[in-house]
Amino acid sequence: MKPNFSKSSKGLLPAVVQDHSSGEVLMLAYMNQAAWEATLTTGKATYFSRSRQSLWIKGETSGHVQLVREIRIDCDQDTILLKVEQVGGAACHTGHRTCFYTVVDNQGSRVVETPVFDPKEVYSS
Amino acid sequence: MKPNFSKSSKGLLPAVVQDHSSGEVLMLAYMNQAAWEATLTTGKATYFSRSRQSLWIKGETSGHVQLVREIRIDCDQDTILLKVEQVGGAACHTGHRTCFYTVVDNQGSRVVETPVFDPKEVYSS
């Protein structure tokens, strides 16, 4: 069993990224076959950036790489689940631990997490 | 802040579904605007079935509905996270608690969960 990249017209499957110890869902990104193979080979989460249209080693710029502890695929072989150790403690480019820091309900939305780093410091060159 | 369905060419955004108490990732499905509104209004997870091209109230057939405890969206407003109470204990049509019951590594793949129900019994008409 492995991911079936031909199930998506663009050859991209969603990858759910979960903190391996807390179980927190950190982010969702996309993989193509090359990103999948790079992830398996290197043990560092590698995605396909839809905006840049190129392989994206998560943490390449910030140093906040994701060390892969376990990989699962779903019953349909069209979604990937990565359980990772998030170096630096934050997966989100905003400095939040998780990209899912906003709760939405019938009343509206509210931010429920505070950043663990200042993006200006991490991404300054 | 709300999901931006216009970010996807087909008006569909991925929804990660997580057990609200265990943190286990149960499945991934897709929502369009109508599915999103139905989920907010009813409190029962409603998706858009890409195979049937119609709204899909999860558990409609099996009775294994997902009661929504919290909804989050990500920093890009293009992914939804549902924290749910999974009625019946299993999200997967195979009878497994989670659709992610297969671990993959460099050596191959292996099933690491056992079903909690027999699909033949649940889906017999």
Side-chain angles (χ1 to χ4, degrees):
Chain A
M1 287 259 293
K2 47 190 177 178
N4 184 351
F5 291 99
S6 70
K7 282 188 123 178
S8 146
S9 58
K10 292 176 182 164
L12 296 179
L13 296 180
V16 179
V17 187
Q18 186 179 31
D19 185 286
H20 84 109
S21 59
S22 71
E24 188 173 27
V25 176
L26 302 176
M27 55 181 275
L28 182 132
Y30 291 84
M31 282 188 180
N32 61 2
Q33 180 76 38
W36 168 257
E37 285 168 10
T39 300
L40 273 182
T41 306
T42 66
K44 287 182 190 165
T46 306
Y47 307 107
F48 183 82
S49 166
R50 295 179 302 167
S51 52
R52 295 194 297 254
Q53 289 286 304
S54 61
L55 281 193
W56 159 41
I57 301 168
K58 168 73 182 164
E60 215 172 6
T61 309
S62 64
H64 295 176
V65 296
Q66 294 175 334
L67 305 174
V68 177
R69 296 303 183 207
E70 189 176 87
I71 304 177
R72 295 192 179 201
I73 57 173
D74 75 342
C75 52
D76 293 332
Q77 296 158 261
D78 62 4
T79 306
I80 296 156
L81 173 63
L82 296 185
K83 301 193 184 188
V84 305
E85 180 186 335
Q86 176 64 64
V87 173
C92 191
H93 70 287
T94 60
H96 291 85
R97 215 166 59 239
T98 167
C99 292
F100 296 96
Y101 55 81
T102 306
V103 168
V104 183
D105 60 24
N106 283 311
Q107 272 70 55
S109 67
R110 61 189 186 283
V111 170
V112 293
E113 310 263 351
T114 49
V116 298
F117 71 74
D118 180 351
K120 284 197 207 92
E121 287 172 23
V122 169
Y123 293 102
S124 67
S125 53
Chain B
M1 288 263 290
K2 47 189 177 178
N4 185 351
F5 290 100
S6 70
K7 282 188 121 179
S8 145
S9 58
K10 292 176 181 165
L12 297 179
L13 295 180
V16 178
V17 188
Q18 186 179 30
D19 185 286
H20 83 110
S21 59
S22 71
E24 188 172 27
V25 176
L26 301 175
M27 54 182 274
L28 182 132
Y30 291 85
M31 284 190 178
N32 61 3
Q33 180 75 38
W36 168 258
E37 285 168 9
T39 300
L40 273 181
T41 307
T42 65
K44 286 180 191 166
T46 305
Y47 306 107
F48 183 81
S49 166
R50 295 179 302 168
S51 52
R52 295 194 297 255
Q53 288 286 305
S54 61
L55 282 192
W56 160 40
I57 302 168
K58 168 73 183 165
E60 215 172 6
T61 310
S62 63
H64 295 177
V65 296
Q66 294 175 333
L67 306 174
V68 177
R69 295 303 181 210
E70 188 176 87
I71 304 177
R72 295 192 180 200
I73 56 173
D74 75 341
C75 52
D76 293 332
Q77 296 159 260
D78 61 4
T79 305
I80 297 156
L81 173 64
L82 297 184
K83 300 191 184 191
V84 305
E85 180 185 334
Q86 175 64 64
V87 172
C92 191
H93 70 286
T94 59
H96 291 85
R97 214 165 61 240
T98 168
C99 292
F100 296 95
Y101 54 82
T102 306
V103 168
V104 183
D105 59 24
N106 282 312
Q107 272 70 57
S109 68
R110 58 190 189 281
V111 170
V112 293
E113 311 264 350
T114 49
V116 299
F117 70 73
D118 180 350
K120 286 197 205 90
E121 286 173 21
V122 168
Y123 294 101
S124 67
S125 53

